[in-house]
Structure formats: C-alpha cells, structure tokens
Amino acid sequence: MDLQERGIHFSVIYTAVRPSRVSRRTDVVAELRRQLMAAEEEDSLSYPPLNVTTGNYSCILFYASNFSLKANGSVLIDLTNATFLTQNVDISASECSDSNTTLSLKYTNPVNGISSLEIRFLMTNKFYEVSARKWSTLNSVEIVQDGEKFAKFNVSGISAPAEYSFHCQLVGTSNLYPARLVPSNNEAKNWDVFISKLQIQGFNIIDNQFSYASDCTGFFTPGIWMGLVTSIILLWILTYGIHMIMQLTTNSRFDDPKGPALSVPQTE
C-alpha cells in the first residue's frame, strides 16, 4: 500500500525454502507440475530421497522429513536441508553388498565448533530359518565428530523383509520413540538424535524407488489396547449382571389373609 501511494510500479515474488510438492521418484527431473491436493501420497513429499548408486543402479535410498542432532544437550544440528535439498553431503564412503550395507554421510562445518561430522548407518541382510526368508536390519548408527570422537548407538526395532523398505514415524534416542537408538558407549550419551518419517532401504531396490514399506508401528496400537480393555470391562459387568438376574427366585408359598399367618423357618 505504501508503494502504491507513492505511485511506484512494482512486482512481488513469493519464495520458499523448499518446493511444496516434488515427486518422490529420483529419476524425475523435469516432470514437476501443479497437482491436486488429493494426489497420491507418493507425490506428496517435499523432496526426493537421498540416492546412493553403484554404477547405474541404486543400492541405498534414505529419506526423512526431519534429520537433526543435538550435541551435549545444547548445540542443535539440523541436517535436513544439507542432506536432501542442497545435498551438501559426501556419500562417497558408502558401501553396498548383498549382505552388508553402510550409508555414510559426511558433512563439513555443519555448525560452529564442529569442523567435520560423519554419520554411518550399518545394515545387514541375513537369512533366518524360522521365517524362511531374508531380513534386512539396521544394526547400529555411528557418529564421528572431527575424525576422533566416536559415538555408537545400538538400534532396536528397525528390521524388515529384505524385499521391503523400512518406515517409522519417529526414530531417535528418546524413550518415547517406537524405534530407539540406544547409546553403546560413553561418547554416545552426549548426543541426541531426532529423525521423523524415516524411510530407508539398503537392499533389492528396483527402478530407483522405495519398495513396499514395513512400518515400525505394531498391530496393537495404544488405541486398540484401550478399546480391548474397555470392552473386556463392559463384558464382565454385563456377564455379572446377567448372572445375578438368573439367581433371582420367586416365593413358593404365599400368605393367606383369611388363614393363619405364614411361618417360614430360617432354614428355608
């Protein structure tokens, strides 16, 4: 309004940190276009996953809507943009094989005070006789600061059939997360890890896309447990009420006002 009052002709360009809708497929470059909000979920991600290739083939796919670390409980390191948008990350040390895969993410000067930071995701692909199939498992996560400070986390709850990718809404060091990173040494206790909407696949990638995702959420969610417990309590109350009604009996003898008073022994 101030410019209009001055009679100045102007144009306004609205910009954003990231595009609102970008295809999840890594092989799509020039096919971005406006789509309806009801488009399929595959196209609703704000950026494509990180793709580690060997030759012309993808061997690791990694995606997260938020990828952050906190050092010593105070220094927040947000690696989301550097990993997926600007891709200011070195992945040359990543390794792929049929049985072991390592995703190596190296950052230079991610924040003041840290000259280099490397994060490694170590995955294995093993055959288990009980299920008669191969399973891919994220065994550990390692953080190397400035080439000398080594932190290692054991991972609980991150596994999927080898043909699938793994997805989890929240992954990190918090006890409240369904998939946890458990500190394995003293240095790891100085780090907090926050990863939201994690999806990772290190084996059997086809057409540079994630396979069907095995989610970390179990079948019995807290809501299901609450419904089951409530149903059991109500069923018990109903059963008890029916049982008490069935115990009701009518008198076998009645008092006649024209005759002598009815006497009922206490034994009856």
Side-chain angles (χ1 to χ4, degrees):
M1 293 175 62
D2 181 59
L3 293 175
Q4 289 176 349
E5 291 177 356
R6 299 181 187 181
I8 299 176
H9 298 284
F10 63 92
S11 299
V12 178
I13 299 176
Y14 292 93
T15 62
V17 175
R18 61 187 64 170
S20 60
R21 301 177 70 79
V22 177
S23 176
R24 190 174 190 168
R25 295 172 53 191
T26 58
D27 57 346
V28 174
V29 178
E31 297 181 4
L32 303 181
R33 60 188 182 274
R34 294 184 180 274
Q35 297 180 350
L36 296 174
M37 293 301 294
E40 60 185 55
E41 181 181 0
E42 180 176 339
D43 292 330
S44 65
L45 298 178
S46 57
Y47 38 76
L50 181 68
N51 186 10
V52 179
T53 60
T54 54
N56 296 327
Y57 300 95
S58 298
C59 66
I60 303 175
L61 290 176
F62 174 66
Y63 174 85
S65 63
N66 181 26
F67 183 28
S68 304
L69 308 177
K70 183 180 287 186
N72 299 317
S74 59
V75 181
L76 180 62
I77 308 173
D78 190 347
L79 302 173
T80 309
N81 291 342
T83 306
F84 303 104
L85 290 176
T86 62
Q87 294 195 354
N88 187 22
V89 57
D90 182 10
I91 57 176
S92 59
S94 300
E95 300 177 353
C96 299
S97 69
D98 293 336
S99 58
N100 295 279
T101 295
T102 301
L103 172 61
S104 174
L105 307 174
K106 294 183 179 179
Y107 306 89
T108 302
N109 297 320
V111 292
N112 295 332
I114 299 179
S115 59
S116 66
L117 186 67
E118 181 182 6
I119 304 174
R120 295 193 289 256
F121 296 82
L122 284 72
M123 295 174 283
T124 58
N125 185 22
K126 294 182 179 180
F127 179 82
Y128 292 88
E129 295 182 355
V130 176
S131 59
R133 69 185 308 171
K134 288 186 175 181
W135 287 74
S136 61
T137 305
L138 179 60
N139 293 322
S140 61
V141 175
E142 300 174 350
I143 300 176
V144 182
Q145 177 187 345
D146 299 328
E148 55 182 21
K149 296 182 179 180
F150 176 78
K152 182 177 180 180
F153 299 87
N154 294 326
V155 182
S156 64
I158 298 185
S159 62
E163 300 82 6
Y164 296 169
S165 63
F166 176 84
H167 175 270
C168 196
Q169 191 73 14
L170 293 173
V171 177
T173 52
S174 172
N175 293 329
L176 302 177
Y177 291 173
R180 287 195 60 210
L181 305 182
V182 183
S184 179
N185 58 7
N186 291 330
E187 186 65 31
K189 298 178 181 179
N190 298 326
W191 291 90
D192 293 318
V193 183
F194 311 94
I195 307 177
S196 60
K197 295 184 180 180
L198 168 70
Q199 188 165 2
I200 188 170
Q201 184 173 356
F203 306 95
N204 303 310
I205 298 175
I206 301 175
D207 296 332
N208 299 332
Q209 298 183 44
F210 280 117
S211 301
Y212 175 84
S214 176
D215 202 276
C216 63
T217 303
F219 178 77
F220 287 98
T221 61
I224 294 178
W225 280 114
M226 291 175 62
L228 288 176
V229 172
T230 303
S231 299
I232 292 174
I233 294 175
L234 294 177
L235 183 61
W236 180 84
I237 295 175
L238 177 63
T239 303
Y240 179 78
I242 295 176
H243 175 73
M244 294 302 294
I245 292 175
M246 293 178 63
Q247 298 301 314
L248 296 177
T249 58
T250 58
N251 295 331
S252 58
R253 289 179 290 176
F254 299 91
D255 191 12
D256 186 1
K258 296 181 180 181
L262 180 64
S263 177
V264 180
Q266 294 183 354
T267 55
E268 297 184 8

